[in-house]
Amino acid sequence: MAIPIVNSIASWFLKKRFHQIELFLKYPNEVQTELLLDLIDTAKDTEIGKQYDFASIKNYRQFAERVPVSTYEDFQPSIERSRNGENNIFWPTPIKWFAKSSGTTNAKSKFIPVSTDSLEDCHYAASKDLLCMYLNNNEDSQLFTGKSLRLGGSKELYKENGTAFGDLSAILIDNMPFWAEFSSTPSNKVSLMSDWEHKMQAIVDETINENVTSLAGVPSWMLVLLNNVLETTGKNNLHEVWPNLEVYFHGGVSFTPYQEQYKNILPKSNFKYYEIYNASEGFFAIQDQNNSSELLLMLDYGIFYEFIPMDTYGSTSEKIIPLAEVEIGKNYAILITTNAGLWRYKIGDTVRFTSTKPYRIKVSGRTKHHINVFGEELIIENAEDALKTVCKKTRAEIIDYTAAPVFMQGREKGAHEWLIEFKTPPKDIHMFNELFDNALKSLNSDYEAKRYNNLTLNKPTVHVAREKLFYDWLKQNNKLGGQHKIPRLSNTRDYIEELLKLNV
């Protein structure tokens, strides 16, 4: 009897929420403009509001002319003051939580402010919307008959000066309503364990006898956990462990390199994958269709969006545009203004619009995670599409990878150097390299031009990484856990040099 009641409540909530979603689908730019003016009005009496005279800002143009673009480094002094207990600096309500993130491009920690508004109106709202969209598209779902296996970060919350910091997942778990724990596994106690390796086994032990109907977490780390589940239980696939498992909600890193490995351990043809796009700074987009790689940009979570065309990024001609001016197929860096007090903040991600009616995107990479030493403009999206193509042709499977430039020396031309850890290596690595080079040429005209007759770039070099190389590198740098990612592409050789030394 309980299940029909739960489904009825979910259906009621769905209908109510979809009315609101339809509003921003129909009037996206009006919703964004109204949201911006509301954020400005809310923060007009804060320190930053008085500095830029928010009270007199009446439209987007005035906002863009008056408020400068900021990076974490620009914002850090204000964040440190807020962490030490000062209020009303960049947001009127006290900031109690800070999401700690080391990212992949900076060794020092970042502390991203999380307000009560952003917690409720963004992060938790998005979690509900994700379920709404999934259930709306899959009316026969039995999601509520079991539990969601969630895999978050590995750090507990640490408290000082009346504020708390930790992984975003720890903040979310710590503030969840008490009843939410009944619908998820593992327990909060295990979820917040700080020792990642012990935590993984504890999760396996706690979850293998549960009725798990969904999975949620970062693909790379979730794959490690699920392989541990199979090893512990001796089963051939996850459906033998959890017969009612029907969907995996994933985000954090691209799913492309892991897709085939998931199909092997989740072989049911009707198993669903739903992608999300979130970060410590906010929850941005949700897959709203079955079997789609496009993500619907969520426009009413207290986040105002601006975009920098990547062909102008970092140049003297850099320009910033609002959502209304984006074009399909172009690559953009994202700026956000949020209900946690981030103002025109560069989050470091790049996206490509696949649709403007409604606004749907694909995450294409990071502003710092590309290789453009020789004018080749190689982005993560190119790399992962090429790797997927070549793996299919060579029946190879990839666990992790990184790449860096080989700089020109004297008359020696440049090149790209790749370090790839395979689960199933190709039979002929030289053939793999040849096919990979050709795939990159077909996907990226700038790369193709630089490779033409070895004009600027020589053929790439591919090294096969030893087993667990990337895991050991993360462990050595105290970066094990769901919030940490392998740096895929870099304009420097810092990461690859460290990894090559370990690759023995």
Side-chain angles (χ1 to χ4, degrees):
M1 194 68 185
I3 299 308
I5 292 172
V6 171
N7 283 332
S8 296
I9 293 170
S11 297
W12 174 83
F13 180 82
L14 268 171
K15 289 172 185 174
K16 184 180 177 185
R17 174 55 183 153
F18 265 101
H19 177 69
Q20 297 168 323
I21 291 173
E22 283 168 357
L23 183 67
F24 78 67
L25 291 177
K26 192 172 183 179
Y27 305 106
N29 300 307
E30 292 84 350
V31 166
Q32 277 280 282
T33 298
E34 185 180 337
L35 190 153
L36 173 65
L37 295 177
D38 184 56
L39 292 172
I40 291 168
D41 183 64
T42 302
K44 65 187 178 187
D45 293 324
T46 62
E47 198 173 287
I48 197 169
K50 291 175 180 176
Q51 181 181 355
Y52 297 112
D53 192 16
F54 280 7
S56 69
I57 293 178
K58 304 301 179 189
N59 53 50
Y60 169 69
R61 182 180 56 79
Q62 291 176 343
F63 171 74
E65 287 174 353
R66 202 174 298 178
V67 181
V69 170
S70 64
T71 63
Y72 182 80
E73 287 69 29
D74 299 325
F75 220 66
Q76 187 179 18
S78 295
I79 288 175
E80 287 306 306
R81 288 172 56 201
S82 184
R83 286 188 64 213
N84 287 324
E86 286 190 57
N87 293 322
N88 211 39
I89 302 169
F90 44 80
W91 193 246
T93 59
I95 305 290
K96 300 176 185 177
W97 308 285
F98 294 84
K100 184 179 179 182
S101 168
S102 62
T104 48
T105 60
N106 199 327
K108 68 183 179 184
S109 295
K110 296 179 181 180
F111 296 89
I112 306 299
V114 179
S115 67
T116 302
D117 304 86
S118 64
L119 200 64
E120 293 295 333
D121 300 335
C122 181
H123 293 288
Y124 287 147
S127 299
K128 295 170 190 171
D129 282 354
L130 177 61
L131 293 176
C132 281
M133 290 178 185
Y134 176 75
L135 292 170
N136 186 61
N137 294 332
N138 301 279
E139 292 181 357
D140 59 347
S141 168
Q142 297 298 304
L143 204 63
F144 294 123
T145 63
K147 294 187 176 183
S148 173
L149 195 169
R150 63 186 182 205
L151 180 62
S154 57
K155 295 289 189 294
E156 298 176 15
L157 284 178
Y158 300 93
K159 299 182 180 180
E160 57 185 30
N161 304 313
T163 63
F165 66 90
D167 281 354
L168 176 64
S169 56
I171 294 171
L172 296 176
I173 290 169
D174 192 56
N175 287 282
M176 276 181 180
F178 74 92
W179 50 263
E181 188 172 1
F182 295 123
S183 63
S184 59
T185 187
S187 62
N188 288 358
K189 181 181 177 183
V190 169
S191 292
L192 294 173
M193 286 175 66
S194 57
D195 186 312
W196 182 256
E197 292 178 317
H198 284 100
K199 170 181 171 175
M200 290 294 268
Q201 191 56 49
I203 292 175
V204 173
D205 294 341
E206 236 186 56
T207 59
I208 55 176
N209 294 316
E210 293 281 6
N211 176 25
V212 174
T213 54
S214 67
L215 308 170
V218 176
S220 51
W221 292 110
M222 181 62 79
L223 191 60
V224 175
L225 172 65
L226 298 179
N227 282 324
N228 283 346
V229 167
L230 293 178
E231 189 176 331
T232 300
T233 59
K235 303 295 185 182
N236 294 314
N237 64 65
L238 292 168
H239 301 301
E240 294 178 5
V241 183
W242 301 306
N244 299 314
L245 185 60
E246 63 178 73
V247 60
Y248 173 28
F249 301 111
H250 62 86
V253 300
S254 170
F255 190 58
T256 304
Y258 309 102
Q259 199 166 359
E260 292 305 314
Q261 293 178 66
Y262 273 93
K263 284 182 181 177
N264 289 338
I265 60 175
L266 292 161
K268 281 187 180 177
S269 59
N270 62 346
F271 187 81
K272 302 289 192 303
Y273 297 92
Y274 262 61
E275 186 172 352
I276 59 175
Y277 173 30
N278 67 328
S280 298
E281 293 88 350
F283 209 120
F284 310 127
I286 298 172
Q287 180 181 326
D288 65 320
Q289 306 166 101
N290 283 340
N291 307 313
S292 172
S293 58
E294 299 178 36
L295 307 178
L296 181 69
L297 192 63
M298 304 302 288
L299 303 179
D300 62 352
Y301 285 171
I303 300 174
F304 178 77
Y305 295 97
E306 296 174 89
F307 302 89
I308 306 173
M310 282 304 288
D311 55 7
T312 71
Y313 186 86
S315 70
T316 53
S317 60
E318 179 176 285
K319 68 179 198 175
I320 300 167
I321 60 174
L323 182 65
E325 296 178 25
V326 299
E327 297 175 33
I328 293 172
K330 274 197 168 185
N331 216 29
Y332 296 98
I334 305 179
L335 294 182
I336 58 171
T337 292
T338 78
N339 52 4
L342 297 175
W343 299 93
R344 308 196 81 199
Y345 179 87
K346 287 183 178 180
I347 61 173
D349 288 346
T350 62
V351 299
R352 179 169 52 80
F353 281 85
T354 58
S355 165
T356 55
K357 293 181 180 179
Y359 286 101
R360 289 197 179 101
I361 60 171
K362 286 187 177 182
V363 181
S364 53
R366 299 276 297 169
T367 55
K368 294 183 180 179
H369 285 202
H370 63 280
I371 304 179
N372 191 32
V373 173
F374 312 103
E376 66 274 50
E377 287 286 359
L378 186 69
I379 61 174
I380 291 175
E381 188 178 31
N382 300 151
E384 301 202 327
D385 285 347
L387 287 169
K388 181 180 179 181
T389 298
V390 179
C391 282
K392 194 170 183 179
K393 288 180 179 178
T394 61
R395 297 184 179 178
E397 291 182 303
I398 288 175
I399 294 174
D400 267 313
Y401 74 90
T402 194
V406 177
F407 295 102
M408 295 178 179
Q409 290 186 346
R411 293 186 176 181
E412 187 63 33
K413 291 169 184 170
H416 292 171
E417 190 169 17
W418 297 77
L419 184 57
I420 303 175
E421 182 180 346
F422 293 95
K423 181 182 180 184
T424 305
K427 291 180 180 178
D428 185 340
I429 193 66
H430 300 293
M431 176 61 74
F432 182 95
N433 193 14
E434 183 80 30
L435 293 170
F436 182 45
D437 184 34
N438 290 335
L440 288 173
K441 289 177 188 175
S442 70
L443 289 163
N444 185 316
S445 58
D446 291 319
Y447 177 86
E448 183 182 33
K450 302 303 180 291
R451 282 284 296 119
Y452 181 72
N453 286 338
N454 296 340
L455 187 66
T456 305
L457 285 176
N458 284 326
K459 187 184 292 187
T461 300
V462 175
H463 302 289
V464 177
R466 66 167 173 81
E467 186 180 357
K468 294 187 73 175
L469 172 69
F470 291 96
Y471 185 93
D472 290 344
W473 180 79
L474 287 168
K475 185 175 181 179
Q476 179 177 290
N477 287 279
N478 195 29
K479 288 190 175 187
L480 286 181
Q483 303 295 308
H484 300 295
K485 306 155 194 171
I486 297 297
R488 299 302 197 195
L489 306 179
S490 176
N491 268 333
T492 75
R493 293 188 56 80
D494 297 346
Y495 299 118
I496 204 165
E497 292 292 354
E498 282 186 34
L499 285 156
L500 286 170
K501 286 176 185 175
L502 280 178
N503 193 36
V504 290

